[in-house]
Structures are given as structure tokens and as C-alpha cells.
Amino acid sequence: MILVGVETEDNYPIFTDTMYELKSLTETAHGEVVFQLEQKRPQVDRQSVIGKGKLVELAQLVDAYEADLVIFNHELTPRQSQIISEAVGIAVIDRVQLILDIFALRARSREGKLQVELAQLNYLLPRLVGQGKALSRLGGGIGTRGPGETKLETDRRHIRRKITLIKLELKEVAEHRERSRQKRQQSDLFQIGLIGYTNAGKSTILNLLTSADTYSQDQLFATLDPLTKRWQLPQGMVVTVTDTVGFMQQLPTQLIEAFQSTLEESRNMDLLLHVVDASASDRLNQERTVIKLMEDLGMAQIPVLTVYTKADRLDANEFVPTLFPNVLINAKSTQGKEALTKAVRRTLMEQLAPYERLVPANQGQILSELKRQTLLLTEDYQEAENAYLVKGFAKKESKWGNEHELDE
């Protein structure tokens, strides 16, 4: 594969990082990069992105390296894609299509597969003209996973019908997810969501806290389908922890639209753990990207604890955090789990409402529920009242966080 990127007045601060990401994305999709063609221009060429001269050079590079695919670090219009493909004689895809391909590779659940297929079909619908020949030569490689060649070569009416059917199926799945979410909310369980840049270490954190045995690899978009697990804190309180898909710069709009039901999981959290790779060379850009997407997705009002991971890859004495509150950990160490647990506990105490109650000694069930559903700090037996004086923190809207008496 040959990668192509144009550094312009608009993207120069992040150009190097996005090209590195494009290479990582290609490798994640099981592709081999043989050459990177880069160009500086005030803005991209409206016809071919890189201009006529560079287009000739690209065609020569394709022949010289016997490349079978060209991947652009820009979203191509249907016309641009057709012009470039005809000039170089092989299939041409862009960053969006590459990411969609990886999502098709990673999707495991029925919902995940449907969402990816919907995003791919919506993206490819205006690009059907002129694609058949190139895609037929490409075979089953990068850019053709998911819907596949046969769907891409059918007429627009069939594609639109397929999109409608997928949306209906997704609506059913979303309704089921909503029912599950409401059950969790009604159970008074505190809900924690993991968000962050792709490959920051979210799945590793989930595995660390819950022993979830989730797929966790040093790859972009290693996790696609949201996964919710229970985590019992040392004090006994049970919370849920939900892992979701990672964000990245220039995340395709089609993906955000397709994954609305999945992203709803994060919107309803009581606390977000923003996982950040502390060793990333472009850490500040990654932080800004996630914060911007959180604002766009209506999640800016949710309390956030920033978890800086991969502390083993840097000098902790020289590390300067930029987001607060935060905790710096090595997720692969016992000390890392302890530090994260303490930070979460401290944050819970700030978010929850303090309570103090007398629980009669013969109401052990209530004491047991308090241990599971609240952050119970102390329980002292009061001999005079034959009851336990309990102190802790609970969700304000729960039955423990209001002024109701326990024996009502």
C-alpha cells in the first residue's frame, strides 16, 4: 500500500501525527506500507487532491513498488476518488474507508456489525459509479470488508433498501439496550464509563478493575462493541464499568452517526474515566480531540477523572499533567490498580451525597444493601439503641441519599 498525505495551512500542526496514525491504521487492517508520498500545498487540489504533477509521480510509484492499493489521509469526494483511481490504475480509498474497514474487522456483536455496515453503505452509496472495476481487482482486501463486493455493485435502490432494513434492526437493538440501561439506573448502581483516544488503554483498565478478560491489544480500535461489567470496590460498593469505542482525530462523521446508540451508553454515565496514554508524543492533541468530541456528543456536563496510563514508559518526575483531577498509573501493576481505586473512591465521595443513619441490629438486609449500593465508610454498633450507626456516601436520587427513614 502507498499512503498519500497533503500538508496544508489548515492541518500542519497535526499533519505528522495523522500520517503516523494512517500508517498504524493500515497495519491494524493487515496492510503493508511500501511508500509514503507527502506534499505541501496551501490547500488540497479540488480535482485530484495532490495536483497533476504529483498524480503522475504517484502512478510511477504504484508501478515501481507494485502496490495494489493507495490510501489517502483525506476524505475523498466521489469525483476525486474516480480521477485518482483512473490515473494510477488501482483501487484508491481514503482515511474514512480505512477506518470503516477496521471497524468491520473488529465488530463482534450483531449491533456492532449492523452499525458498521450502515456506515459503510451510507459512505459508499454516492461512490458506486466507477468503483466496480477497481474493487473487483481489489478482491477481498482492505476497503471491501463488511458489505462486500456484491453489495457495492448493486443498484442504488437495493442499497437504500438495505440501509432501511439495517436501521429497523438497529432500532430494535437500541430499544433492548435502552431497557437494559433503565434497569441499571433503577437499581441505584453507580455507572462509570471509560472514554479516551483509541489505543489509550481503556480495555486494559476494564480488565484491571473487573477481570473482564476483554480483548486488549496495542492496536487502534481494538475495542468496538461496548461492554459493561460490574466492579466491587474494596469497601463493598458495586458499580458498573462500561468500555466503549475509542476516539481519534478526524473521526468519520458516518461513524458517529451510526454509533449513536452505542454512544448513548456514555451519555448516561455518572462518572467518566478519561483514559490518556501519558507516553503518547501527541498527547495534548489527543486530549483536545476527546474533549471536543465529548462536547459534540453532549457529554461535557458529566464529571470526569483523567487516568494517565503507561507510566512505565516515562519518567514520572518529569510528567506534567494537563487535565484535572487526575491519577497517573501503570495499569499492568498492582500499585496501579490501588492508585486508580483510591482516585475513583475519592472522586465518588466528591460526587455522592453524605449520609448518616441508624440501622437496627435486626435489619441485616438493609446493612447488606448499604454495603453494596453505597460507599459505606463506617459502621459502629450503638449498644444503647441496639443499632448500627452507619456513615457513607450515596447517589442523591437513590433511596439512601434522601431523607427517608430506613424503616419506612
Side-chain angles (χ1 to χ4, degrees):
M1 284 94 184
I2 293 178
L3 308 184
V4 182
V6 178
E7 181 179 338
T8 66
E9 295 172 350
D10 296 328
N11 71 8
Y12 76 90
I14 61 172
F15 177 73
T16 302
D17 293 330
T18 58
M19 285 300 292
Y20 176 77
E21 271 185 0
L22 187 67
K23 185 174 185 292
S24 298
L25 286 167
T26 304
E27 291 169 350
T28 299
H30 304 155
E32 181 185 352
V33 178
V34 294
F35 193 85
Q36 283 192 197
L37 178 64
E38 298 180 4
Q39 183 186 33
K40 286 187 178 182
R41 297 174 60 100
Q43 66 244 348
V44 298
D45 184 86
R46 286 187 296 177
Q47 293 292 316
S48 60
V49 180
I50 54 177
K52 292 181 180 178
K54 277 289 180 184
L55 195 56
V56 173
E57 182 183 342
L58 177 59
Q60 294 170 345
L61 288 168
V62 167
D63 290 336
Y65 286 96
E66 297 182 347
D68 56 8
L69 183 66
V70 174
I71 305 175
F72 273 73
N73 194 29
H74 312 268
E75 183 170 348
L76 302 176
T77 66
R79 181 61 179 157
Q80 287 171 338
S81 180
Q82 187 176 0
I83 289 172
I84 299 167
S85 181
E86 289 174 355
V88 299
I90 61 172
V92 175
I93 66 172
D94 59 19
R95 182 188 183 92
V96 176
Q97 200 167 343
L98 177 61
I99 293 174
L100 289 172
D101 182 84
I102 294 170
F103 271 57
L105 195 65
R106 291 277 180 266
R108 293 289 180 270
S109 70
R110 173 170 166 258
E111 180 184 20
K113 291 175 181 177
L114 287 170
Q115 287 171 325
V116 172
E117 187 169 1
L118 177 62
Q120 286 181 311
L121 291 172
N122 277 326
Y123 183 71
L124 292 169
L125 183 59
R127 293 166 170 80
L128 288 173
V129 178
Q131 289 284 315
K133 188 178 177 183
L135 287 169
S136 295
R137 284 202 301 272
L138 182 60
I142 292 176
T144 63
R145 295 187 182 106
E149 290 176 296
T150 55
K151 290 188 180 67
L152 295 176
E153 292 165 356
T154 54
D155 62 18
R156 282 189 170 87
R157 188 181 303 131
H158 175 75
I159 296 289
R160 291 194 180 101
R161 191 185 308 122
K162 181 69 174 174
I163 287 172
T164 302
L165 291 173
I166 291 174
K167 285 182 176 178
L168 288 173
E169 285 191 71
L170 280 173
K171 186 178 179 182
E172 292 177 11
V173 177
E175 288 172 353
H176 174 73
R177 183 187 294 282
E178 178 63 27
R179 288 192 293 271
S180 300
R181 185 162 53 237
Q182 287 176 353
K183 283 183 181 178
R184 288 201 300 272
Q185 290 174 332
Q186 291 167 359
S187 69
D188 289 336
L189 284 176
F190 193 89
Q191 300 180 76
I192 298 175
L194 296 171
I195 60 163
Y197 208 78
T198 181
N199 201 33
K202 295 183 297 301
S203 296
T204 302
I205 296 292
L206 182 69
N207 292 337
L208 179 73
L209 297 178
T210 68
S211 303
D213 197 25
T214 307
Y215 182 71
S216 173
Q217 290 293 325
D218 187 15
Q219 294 177 331
L220 299 179
F221 299 119
T223 300
L224 175 56
D225 298 305
L227 178 66
T228 299
K229 291 290 180 180
R230 294 194 174 203
W231 171 37
Q232 186 168 29
L233 278 70
Q235 293 77 21
M237 182 181 182
V238 176
V239 302
T240 62
V241 184
T242 300
D243 187 16
T244 56
V245 63
F247 297 151
M248 77 180 311
Q249 294 176 89
Q250 302 172 10
L251 190 66
T253 307
Q254 293 87 348
L255 282 180
I256 295 177
E257 291 173 352
F259 282 78
Q260 283 299 327
S261 63
T262 301
L263 294 168
E264 283 289 341
E265 291 286 337
S266 299
R267 284 199 194 100
N268 290 278
M269 296 296 146
D270 299 302
L271 172 67
L272 295 174
L273 299 186
H274 177 188
V275 184
V276 179
D277 180 355
S279 66
S281 59
D282 59 337
R283 190 192 91 212
L284 297 182
N285 272 332
Q286 292 185 6
E287 290 177 351
R288 281 193 288 266
T289 298
V290 174
I291 291 171
K292 175 67 167 60
L293 283 167
M294 283 174 60
E295 292 173 354
D296 293 345
L297 294 167
M299 295 156 54
Q301 78 288 352
I302 305 174
V304 178
L305 169 65
T306 300
V307 183
Y308 287 107
T309 62
K310 307 183 184 180
D312 52 311
R313 299 185 184 180
L314 48 82
D315 186 343
N317 296 323
E318 296 179 0
F319 175 71
V320 180
T322 45
L323 299 176
F324 299 88
N326 65 69
V327 59
L328 174 65
I329 67 165
N330 173 10
K332 296 181 179 178
S333 69
T334 305
Q335 293 85 350
K337 182 176 182 178
E338 291 174 358
L340 178 56
T341 301
K342 286 180 181 178
V344 170
R345 181 175 179 269
R346 187 168 58 248
T347 306
L348 287 177
M349 291 171 67
E350 294 171 357
Q351 301 301 325
L352 299 175
Y355 72 85
E356 179 178 320
R357 299 192 182 253
L358 272 175
V359 181
N362 61 356
Q363 294 188 9
Q365 177 63 27
I366 290 178
L367 194 60
S368 177
E369 285 185 36
L370 282 168
K371 288 179 179 178
R372 286 197 318 273
Q373 298 178 14
T374 76
L375 189 62
L376 186 61
L377 300 184
T378 61
E379 49 174 310
D380 298 318
Y381 179 66
Q382 308 292 308
E383 192 171 348
E385 289 89 355
N386 188 27
Y388 290 94
L389 177 63
V390 295
K391 297 179 181 180
F393 293 83
K395 290 178 72 172
K396 293 176 183 177
E397 62 274 18
S398 73
K399 61 182 178 180
W400 314 118
N402 56 35
E403 298 302 319
H404 294 172
E405 293 299 328
L406 290 175
D407 55 354
E408 281 187 356

